[in-house]
Amino acid sequence: MDKLLLSNIRNARKLLHENYITPKDLLNSCLTQAKDTNHLNAYITLTEDEGNKQAKQSLERYQKKEATSKLDGIPIAIKDNFCTANIKTTCASKMLENFVPTYNATVYEKLLNAGAVLVGKTNLDQFAMGSGTIDSIYDSTKNAWGYTEDDYYIAGGSSGGSAVAVATGSCFAALGSDTGGSTRNPASYCGVVGLKPTYGLVSRLGLIPLVNSMDVPGILTRTVDDCVLILNTIAGHDPKDSTTLTKPYKEILLPSSGKLSVKGLKIGIPKEYHCKNLDKEVLDTWNDVAKLLDENGAVVKEISMVNTEHSIVCYSILNQCEVASNMARYDGIEFGLRADENSSTEKLYATSRSHGFNEVVRNRILTGNYFLLTKNYEKYFNQALKVRRLISNDFYKAWEDVQVLLTPTTLSTAPKYKDFVKKTNRDQCAMQDFCTQPANMAGVPAISIPIKLSKKGLPISLQIMGRNLSEPMILALAKYIENIVKFPGVK
Amino acid sequence: MYWIHLIKRNIVYSNRQYSKQVSNKWKSVVGLEVHAQISSNSKLFSGSSNEFASPVNNNVSLFDCSIPGTLPVLNKKCVEAGIKTAIALNCKVSPVSMFDRKHYFYADIPAGYQITQQRAPLALEGNLEFQVFTPGIHKKPYTVNAKIKQIQLEQDSGKSLHEDDRSLVDLNRAGAPLMELVFDPDLSDGEEAAALIKELVIILQRIGTCSCKMEEGALRVDANISIHKPGEPLGVRTEVKNIGSIRGVAGAIKYEIKRQIKVLESGGRIVNETRAWEATSKTTLPMRDKEQQQDYRYMPEPNLPPLHVAIGPIKNGCVNVDEIEKQIPELPSGTRTRLIDDFGLQLQQSIILVNNPILLNMFEEAVKGSTNYQLLANLLINELLTIVNKNNMDLENILVDGKTFSEIASLINDNQINKNTAKLIINEVITGDLKSPAEIIEKNNWIQISDVAQIEKICTNILNENKDIVEQYKKGKTKVFNSLMGKVANNSKQMINMALVPEIMKKLLSKM
Amino acid sequence: MNYISRSIVRLYCTKPRVILNRKYLVPKYPAQSTIDARKLPERTKIDANTIALLERLSLVDCANRQSIETLEEAIAFADQILQVNTEGVEPLVTVLEDRPLVVREDEVTEGNRRAEVLLNASVVEDEYFVAPPGNIPLEARENLLHEEEKCN
């Protein structure tokens, strides 16, 4: 069963189709695995009842030999900032600890319609603010790699729970969210595939927002092919989300890896992505893969994206401002934590919010409101918007020369928890998100793929970025590399 | 730059009558902000119903109560309504406009912010030209041209019922579509403001973008008022809210101007504050200052990309401005011009008719059956309106149509009845008598006496009964002739055709 | 994607070659930062009025020394952005700025789900949401920078 749990969706589906295993058994194996790996704390909620109900319906479809999609009966996990009807959705916060949405996020709805089965809701940094999955009221998520009880490595964040769930085989795919790297970062540390689609390709309805102008639902899987299957299911225009593209989505069909070639592919290496804190091993891996592609016919050239280093500061300003705005709705009146305070509306709000939000969230709100003050608007917020355009323009300029970009995903392998918590949330984000943030600024698609293990046995990953809507190209390149490097999964 | 403003103001003033309401020592400046609820089926950014007076919290979608993860989707009808209104008010429609968030905490704003248009509103720089004429206050009408700074689309808030120890919040109205019309401070008193609102109401009702039922809160007027001495800079202004009727607009502004004069003349200072109009006491009172030190921290709404509207033959946009322009019917100014040009009415009459859509409707119907336009106008304005007002009735409730009036006009033209009888007929029909005027005069025997022999008989009787007046007349006091006329009229209960009487009376007198 | 279709016919060996050599295709050394630390403005100190205002605007009950310091740090960090030359550059609010906003038809498609709407509210009375009376400004504190951590 272990082997099945760590295999890909196509295999699992084949077995379901040929009735070697029922959806219920498959789900239960996943649930068992989730419980066995409970010490890693990937899940906030295991949805046994709901999952079993869905598995039963899937079985009926298989038995009736009804047309079933490629995902029918496949267990998946969803990050706990996506609304799932009748299943509590907490964002790892006291504020939403008892919040039960009455509607489904569009991406979840689409997966349900395709027959997928929900294993559970995964852990995250509170309200997706963080890059370690350590700021959660449900305690931190631990990396499966190099785990020891008293000295573990972080899973990365903020979609750490989803990454660990996929890496350990308690689901076949998981949804995360990506605002500054929150899907790619944990993918990199946990050694799984993490895709950030083009902004506007996938609906955000039901995704509790962090930064509306940059948030995208992310996909975490063990293989690129699995990633394509999930993307094909969830992508497309949603009339309920005014920020989705109206152009009809065309399903991606990747050829088998044997048929892929990189001959003539123009690959850019942006020199600014070698920043001060880049780990030597990561740098060497970057170089190795660049050379690999070069040997096989790609045209690899160094380019310059001068505004890359400003992305961190720009992101921190825009993020904090949007947070201050998006969090204004949490007052305890219509939903959420409500303090026992009746003297005035403002007092009630202040008390509920100070109890419901952790320090990271509260500080971001305070700072964001400072930047949004009328007197500061031009100086910080509007300036950041202008710098955002400069960063975006860097990408446009790059596409004049090359077709894709190859960069590291994170500056190092997964840090130890003990070391990680020595720095503040903001400092950590600043470092960890260096290579992933710019893609969110410009809205371009980006994918993180695991390449090899470091000397200490931790995953090292690289990132591929392409122009808007170039998912077919970056996924194909990712598959090509995946096939060569043959990254080992978690044992 | 306020010098140029002052010069402009003086030019405007020289064309205006000074209002009797403001003392000559002080100049008052009034600027209005109008919130008009768009009469669409659903709300601005969600699909819940926009209907008034529904069960509590029934017209609320998940987006309206700001459930996390929900997103706004713009209602096309609201864009069309905004553009239609902008065109009718001579504004420039922006080809690209944007939405912003205006942040403040209040229990009836669930999201903690209102979505509005601050940076780049739907339309800019328009104007509304209207007539100011309140019978009884103004001797004759005069024109005012009020400039409009901008028109923007924005969300309405929910409603709170304030109890002693808690507020009950109903979000039915939260997210309802509003157009905010911001006028420049071009007005000088309450009557001008009332006239502006009156004109605006007629326009909005004609183009169908707002019901303008102020009692339902569909149209809300806030007034910014300041006073200053001529030649000096503009004074500190106060904002007056909570005005629930057009007469309330006039009353509130009149009171506030008086109050500010009183304060300044007694050595006090005007504070920049928000005041509420209390219709029962007819005063303005300071509102609990909910703004204190407020910073709305406007921020672009990230969930709504820019709104493109197509102008001219361009196709890129969700609505086409030119198509909408074609849908605009005749506006009040056009109607007034038409009444004057086509029907020879006076400006005053055209103003009153246009201001009373029901009356106007009757007039338009009546002219189909009679060409005595002046007479029809008089019957409607001077007779009907007077009777209706005297009896505290509502024009909406009376069951008369224009045809009736054209019949009355015909009867007068044919000398079957006189103006006095017309009044009696009108009294009958508005109290529910369904008979035609001809039938009524038949039934009541109100046909005017035009038979010469009969008139002679009546006149002879009068002369016989008033020998003393006859004596006086014979002695040369010709003025007493009028009293004889009066007696004839009274005696016949106004049923006699007075046009024929003088000649007959004179003949009789000469025989005596 | 032309390179994929072209690759269907491969003339030479099917296995990709992996040869190690000393060629450096990635930048050997870190890129230099263009931010001049010396030119950064003096660290902004937050005064009592601003703290009071921010607290009223944020309502997170966070006017303690720790939070103010974090705020000042964040501002100092953000000050780096002032050194970027953005003359003539338009702000980028959304990457979808060139695409026209999609609108929907004026039909009633939502609402009429009062039970759902009230479901997650802690306090409800006769179908109303319940809030405390009015908006009463937070009490002014005597010492706005009180030492103990008020936030949990």
Side-chain angles (χ1 to χ4, degrees):
Chain A
M1 182 52 74
D2 275 345
K3 221 176 134 200
L4 171 61
L5 287 187
L6 291 173
S7 78
N8 61 37
I9 294 178
R10 196 150 147 251
N11 280 347
R13 194 187 170 282
K14 190 152 168 256
L15 295 174
L16 286 168
H17 185 78
E18 287 164 12
N19 207 19
Y20 281 123
I21 183 172
T22 66
K24 187 155 183 257
D25 287 337
L26 188 57
L27 171 67
N28 283 331
S29 304
C30 285
L31 286 166
T32 308
Q33 178 69 340
K35 288 171 191 160
D36 286 345
T37 52
N38 196 35
H39 53 281
L40 299 176
N41 201 29
Y43 289 88
I44 293 177
T45 308
L46 286 175
T47 51
E48 286 196 55
D49 292 339
E50 182 68 24
N52 272 309
K53 207 169 73 181
Q54 293 160 3
K56 189 158 164 254
Q57 290 165 353
S58 176
L59 179 62
E60 282 169 17
R61 286 190 290 273
Y62 275 116
Q63 283 172 341
K64 287 188 198 160
K65 300 225 187 287
E66 274 169 13
T68 47
S69 91
K70 297 186 178 134
L71 289 183
D72 215 307
I74 301 294
I76 52 149
I78 311 258
K79 185 174 178 183
D80 207 17
N81 61 353
F82 284 91
C83 286
T84 43
N86 307 317
I87 300 166
K88 72 175 177 153
T89 300
T90 67
C91 290
S93 71
K94 280 230 163 305
M95 178 57 78
L96 293 181
E97 201 178 355
N98 297 310
F99 174 63
V100 180
T102 55
Y103 75 107
N104 283 331
T106 300
V107 289
Y108 176 55
E109 184 79 29
K110 286 185 168 183
L111 287 168
L112 282 183
N113 289 341
V117 173
L118 186 64
V119 176
K121 307 296 291 296
T122 58
N123 202 10
L124 62 154
D125 283 298
Q126 186 166 133
F127 283 107
M129 296 187 209
S131 53
T133 312
I134 56 162
D135 285 318
S136 160
I137 62 166
Y138 300 103
D139 206 9
S140 63
T141 297
K142 288 99 177 150
N143 201 326
W145 295 92
Y147 175 81
T148 60
E149 206 180 313
D150 41 41
D151 196 16
Y152 55 87
Y153 294 89
I154 62 164
S158 56
S159 314
S162 286
V164 169
V166 169
T168 54
S170 59
C171 63
F172 281 82
L175 289 189
S177 63
D178 196 310
T179 309
S182 296
T183 292
R184 293 161 285 156
N185 173 301
S188 169
Y189 290 158
C190 296
V192 296
V193 175
L195 172 70
K196 173 213 162 304
T198 307
Y199 183 86
L201 183 62
V202 182
S203 170
R204 288 184 301 115
L205 182 83
L207 168 58
I208 297 174
L210 175 59
V211 182
N212 283 296
S213 58
M214 297 188 218
D215 286 352
V216 190
I219 302 172
L220 293 130
T221 53
R222 289 186 290 273
T223 67
V224 176
D225 277 334
D226 288 351
C227 187
V228 172
L229 282 173
I230 301 290
L231 182 64
N232 282 341
T233 308
I234 63 173
H237 176 64
D238 183 1
K240 293 187 188 158
D241 177 353
S242 305
T243 57
T244 48
L245 301 166
T246 47
K247 188 172 154 189
Y249 174 73
K250 193 158 160 253
E251 272 196 14
I252 298 173
L253 288 165
L254 288 185
S256 61
S257 29
K259 296 210 171 88
L260 293 169
S261 157
V262 294
K263 252 205 158 120
L265 180 65
K266 298 205 197 96
I267 302 178
I269 307 284
K271 66 178 196 220
E272 288 80 3
Y273 279 70
H274 182 170
C275 66
K276 213 170 49 171
N277 296 307
L278 186 64
D279 195 74
K280 180 80 173 41
E281 277 193 271
V282 177
L283 177 66
D284 287 340
T285 310
W286 189 14
N287 192 38
D288 289 342
V289 173
K291 282 193 301 195
L292 177 85
L293 296 167
D294 176 65
E295 303 302 329
N296 286 286
V299 178
V300 179
K301 59 189 281 200
E302 191 177 281
I303 62 165
S304 175
M305 297 175 73
V306 295
N307 294 292
T308 304
E309 65 162 326
H310 304 309
S311 182
I312 304 267
V313 187
C314 182
Y315 178 74
S316 86
I317 295 171
L318 296 179
N319 177 301
Q320 282 166 129
C321 290
E322 277 229 29
V323 162
S325 179
N326 290 336
M327 296 292 144
R329 66 185 59 205
Y330 296 100
D331 51 32
I333 305 279
E334 292 86 20
F335 57 87
L337 179 73
R338 183 186 177 124
D340 189 16
E341 176 58 67
N342 287 311
S343 57
S344 76
T345 308
E346 292 197 335
K347 198 84 193 288
L348 170 67
Y349 286 16
T351 317
S352 307
R353 289 155 68 82
S354 74
H355 290 160
F357 293 144
N358 69 9
E359 206 182 308
V360 172
V361 178
R362 290 200 308 269
N363 282 330
R364 289 201 193 188
I365 293 173
L366 207 66
T367 312
N369 275 325
Y370 177 82
F371 292 141
L372 285 177
L373 290 175
T374 311
K375 65 177 186 189
N376 291 330
Y377 183 88
E378 269 307 318
K379 189 174 177 195
Y380 292 106
F381 185 72
N382 217 24
Q383 172 74 348
L385 289 178
K386 292 176 183 174
V387 173
R388 183 177 179 183
R389 185 175 296 280
L390 290 177
I391 296 167
S392 176
N393 287 347
D394 277 352
F395 279 92
Y396 281 123
K397 229 175 72 176
W399 308 138
E400 287 168 15
D401 270 331
V402 299
Q403 291 164 283
V404 292
L405 300 172
L406 178 70
T407 76
T409 310
T410 47
L411 303 185
S412 66
T413 55
K416 282 223 167 117
Y417 175 82
K418 285 190 193 141
D419 296 329
F420 188 80
V421 293
K422 283 187 191 149
K423 288 210 173 77
T424 67
N425 181 288
R426 201 195 54 251
D427 286 339
Q428 282 298 1
C429 288
M431 243 180 50
Q432 305 300 335
D433 295 344
F434 186 91
C435 298
T436 50
Q437 261 166 29
N440 297 90
M441 288 288 159
V444 297
I447 184 169
S448 173
I449 40 164
I451 306 293
K452 66 188 235 208
L453 293 176
S454 71
K455 294 197 193 88
K456 289 204 179 124
L458 296 168
I460 300 176
S461 303
L462 291 179
Q463 172 178 246
I464 302 166
M465 295 186 271
R467 55 165 18 114
N468 284 333
L469 298 177
S470 66
E471 276 82 354
M473 184 181 309
I474 62 172
L475 284 162
L477 179 57
K479 185 168 176 179
Y480 180 87
I481 297 173
E482 172 188 67
N483 186 47
I484 299 175
V485 302
K486 297 214 190 316
F487 178 80
V490 166
K491 297 291 175 288
Chain B
M1 294 312 268
Y2 74 87
W3 294 113
I4 297 179
H5 185 75
L6 277 179
I7 293 170
K8 277 195 192 151
R9 293 202 61 76
N10 285 331
I11 294 174
V12 173
Y13 271 119
S14 62
N15 289 340
R16 264 157 142 127
Q17 290 171 261
Y18 285 114
S19 168
K20 289 194 183 93
Q21 301 182 38
V22 183
S23 78
N24 285 337
K25 231 173 54 173
W26 297 95
K27 295 246 184 294
S28 51
V29 177
V30 178
L32 298 180
E33 262 170 41
V34 179
H35 288 90
Q37 237 178 36
I38 298 176
S39 51
S40 57
N41 296 326
S42 56
K43 293 184 180 176
L44 185 57
F45 294 117
S46 72
S48 41
S49 166
N50 193 20
E51 211 184 315
F52 181 72
S54 298
V56 173
N57 281 320
N58 198 49
N59 295 347
V60 180
S61 71
L62 297 179
F63 172 76
D64 297 331
C65 61
S66 73
I67 294 287
T70 52
L71 297 168
V73 184
L74 182 58
N75 182 337
K76 187 172 174 191
K77 181 93 185 283
C78 298
V79 180
E80 291 170 344
I83 292 174
K84 221 182 200 178
T85 306
I87 297 172
L89 296 173
N90 303 307
C91 297
K92 300 188 193 51
V93 177
S94 309
V96 181
S97 61
M98 303 192 237
F99 291 96
D100 302 296
R101 294 182 179 179
K102 176 181 180 183
H103 301 86
Y104 61 102
F105 285 117
Y106 211 66
D108 54 23
I109 303 244
Y113 58 84
Q114 174 202 29
I115 301 180
T116 176
Q117 294 185 297
Q118 189 240 9
R119 291 170 286 156
L122 187 65
L124 297 163
E125 290 170 11
N127 71 289
L128 176 55
E129 195 177 270
F130 58 98
Q131 303 297 323
V132 183
F133 175 62
T134 311
I137 295 182
H138 301 110
K139 287 210 190 84
K140 58 182 184 126
Y142 65 95
T143 312
V144 172
N145 192 316
K147 287 187 294 303
I148 297 165
K149 180 159 168 267
Q150 66 189 56
I151 296 182
Q152 65 207 47
L153 295 174
E154 59 185 35
Q155 289 177 309
D156 207 344
S157 63
K159 279 202 192 134
S160 311
L161 256 69
H162 296 292
E163 313 263 315
D164 276 333
D165 59 342
R166 66 207 187 291
S167 290
L168 299 177
V169 181
D170 174 12
L171 295 179
N172 273 349
R173 204 185 62 178
L178 290 179
M179 295 182 284
E180 181 173 336
L181 292 80
V182 182
F183 290 88
D184 281 350
D186 286 339
L187 309 176
S188 62
D189 64 33
E191 292 301 325
E192 288 182 7
L196 185 158
I197 297 299
K198 183 75 210 174
E199 183 84 352
L200 181 64
V201 164
I202 299 171
I203 293 175
L204 293 179
Q205 284 175 337
R206 285 196 187 189
I207 61 178
T209 56
C210 175
S211 74
C212 295
K213 292 186 183 159
M214 286 181 85
E215 66 280 9
E216 285 181 7
L219 191 81
R220 293 165 232 160
V221 180
D222 299 333
N224 291 303
I225 302 154
S226 73
I227 59 172
H228 63 278
K229 290 223 172 93
E232 284 181 19
L234 298 177
V236 174
R237 64 184 167 116
T238 59
E239 191 188 4
V240 178
K241 290 171 111 74
N242 199 38
I243 303 171
S245 66
I246 296 181
R247 283 324 298 166
V249 172
I253 294 172
K254 181 170 160 190
Y255 174 84
E256 181 60 17
I257 293 172
K258 266 213 188 108
R259 185 194 75 85
Q260 288 194 8
I261 293 176
K262 205 158 149 207
V263 167
L264 289 181
E265 283 185 344
S266 63
R269 255 184 350 106
I270 303 293
V271 177
N272 174 230
E273 59 175 349
T274 306
R275 299 175 74 87
W277 168 244
E278 297 290 317
T280 35
S281 58
K282 292 216 188 328
T283 58
T284 64
L285 298 170
M287 273 177 90
R288 189 181 8 91
D289 195 352
K290 69 177 181 180
E291 286 172 26
Q292 234 188 348
Q293 198 193 352
Q294 185 60 274
D295 190 323
Y296 292 121
R297 290 152 290 143
Y298 288 97
M299 186 188 96
E301 168 58 69
N303 291 321
L304 293 168
L307 172 64
H308 289 75
V309 299
I311 300 183
I314 310 166
K315 285 286 168 198
N316 183 37
C318 63
V319 290
N320 189 303
V321 173
D322 293 1
E323 291 300 310
I324 295 173
E325 192 166 359
K326 291 183 193 156
Q327 296 168 15
I328 294 180
E330 183 184 71
L331 295 178
S333 55
T335 310
R336 283 189 294 267
T337 309
R338 187 164 55 84
L339 289 174
I340 294 169
D341 292 346
D342 293 357
F343 299 108
L345 299 189
Q346 293 165 2
L347 177 58
Q348 251 141 303
Q349 292 172 313
S350 72
I351 292 172
I352 295 175
L353 283 179
V354 167
N355 282 356
N356 280 292
I358 296 175
L359 225 55
L360 176 64
N361 211 23
M362 282 197 235
F363 181 82
E364 306 251 44
E365 240 189 280
V367 295
K368 291 183 195 159
S370 166
T371 52
N372 198 336
Y373 308 130
Q374 259 312 319
L375 178 57
L376 285 170
N378 278 327
L379 285 172
L380 288 168
I381 298 169
N382 299 344
E383 310 302 340
L384 174 61
L385 212 47
T386 310
I387 295 173
V388 163
N389 288 336
K390 206 166 82 171
N391 295 321
N392 273 325
M393 296 168 97
D394 222 331
L395 261 179
E396 285 164 4
N397 296 333
I398 61 168
L399 309 157
V400 199
D401 59 14
K403 220 166 67 115
T404 309
F405 283 87
S406 63
E407 283 179 26
I408 296 176
S410 298
L411 290 171
I412 294 178
N413 271 340
D414 296 340
N415 279 320
Q416 297 258 36
I417 58 170
N418 56 36
K419 280 238 185 89
N420 193 52
T421 325
K423 271 195 213 152
L424 295 173
I425 300 174
I426 296 173
N427 254 320
E428 293 292 310
V429 291
I430 62 172
T431 47
D433 195 334
L434 292 171
K435 291 195 275 297
S436 75
E439 288 167 347
I440 294 175
I441 61 172
E442 189 67 57
K443 171 171 162 237
N444 292 304
N445 198 21
W446 283 343
I447 298 180
Q448 185 162 245
I449 303 166
S450 297
D451 177 47
V452 175
Q454 240 190 316
I455 297 178
E456 272 185 16
K457 194 158 160 229
I458 296 172
C459 285
T460 312
N461 283 339
I462 296 294
L463 289 176
N464 288 336
E465 284 169 13
N466 294 284
K467 293 233 163 75
D468 50 334
I469 301 180
V470 176
E471 285 292 327
Q472 287 181 323
Y473 182 78
K474 292 271 187 215
K475 281 196 185 140
K477 279 202 179 143
T478 45
K479 277 196 186 149
V480 302
F481 189 76
N482 288 336
S483 75
L484 285 173
M485 292 295 109
K487 290 199 191 290
V488 169
N490 274 335
N491 180 275
S492 65
K493 292 196 179 50
Q494 316 285 356
M495 285 299 159
I496 202 165
N497 185 347
M498 289 306 294
L500 300 175
V501 175
E503 208 190 305
I504 295 173
M505 185 63 96
K506 282 200 177 120
K507 214 170 77 183
L508 290 171
L509 280 168
S510 65
K511 284 189 190 155
M512 290 178 91
Chain C
M1 305 298 108
N2 51 6
Y3 80 88
I4 296 174
S5 52
R6 271 192 277 131
S7 75
I8 305 245
V9 179
R10 304 247 0 236
L11 296 177
Y12 297 111
C13 51
T14 50
K15 236 182 159 181
R17 296 180 300 158
V18 182
I19 296 173
L20 282 173
N21 61 45
R22 288 197 196 85
K23 206 162 142 195
Y24 242 83
L25 289 175
V26 300
K28 227 173 171 179
Y29 303 105
Q32 289 296 327
S33 169
T34 57
I35 301 289
D36 187 349
R38 296 164 301 176
K39 292 211 188 114
L40 286 174
E42 221 178 274
R43 191 171 148 125
T44 309
K45 278 247 144 276
I46 305 290
D47 63 27
N49 274 342
T50 312
I51 301 166
L53 174 65
L54 284 179
E55 187 162 326
R56 197 178 315 111
L57 300 178
S58 312
L59 291 183
V60 286
D61 214 10
C62 234
N64 57 59
R65 194 166 289 287
Q66 181 65 41
S67 294
I68 302 304
E69 259 180 48
T70 309
L71 171 60
E72 289 177 350
E73 295 248 351
I75 299 171
F77 184 71
D79 280 335
Q80 294 174 72
I81 210 165
L82 304 172
Q83 285 191 18
V84 183
N85 182 3
T86 53
E87 209 179 298
V89 179
E90 284 299 305
L92 178 65
V93 174
T94 170
V95 297
L96 302 174
E97 60 187 359
D98 292 326
R99 296 174 194 268
L101 179 57
V102 174
V103 292
R104 65 171 171 85
E105 292 302 319
D106 183 32
E107 285 161 1
V108 177
T109 53
E110 295 177 287
N112 236 333
R113 329 147 75 155
R114 179 160 60 197
E116 270 185 63
V117 158
L118 298 176
L119 183 71
N120 279 293
S122 305
V123 181
V124 165
E125 190 182 311
D126 287 342
E127 268 92 53
Y128 286 92
F129 292 105
V130 183
N135 259 17
I136 300 167
L138 292 178
E139 304 99 43
R141 295 224 186 95
E142 274 181 17
N143 178 12
L144 284 167
L145 299 177
H146 53 106
E147 294 296 336
E148 317 113 63
E149 270 274 346
K150 197 139 186 258
C151 321
N152 54 335

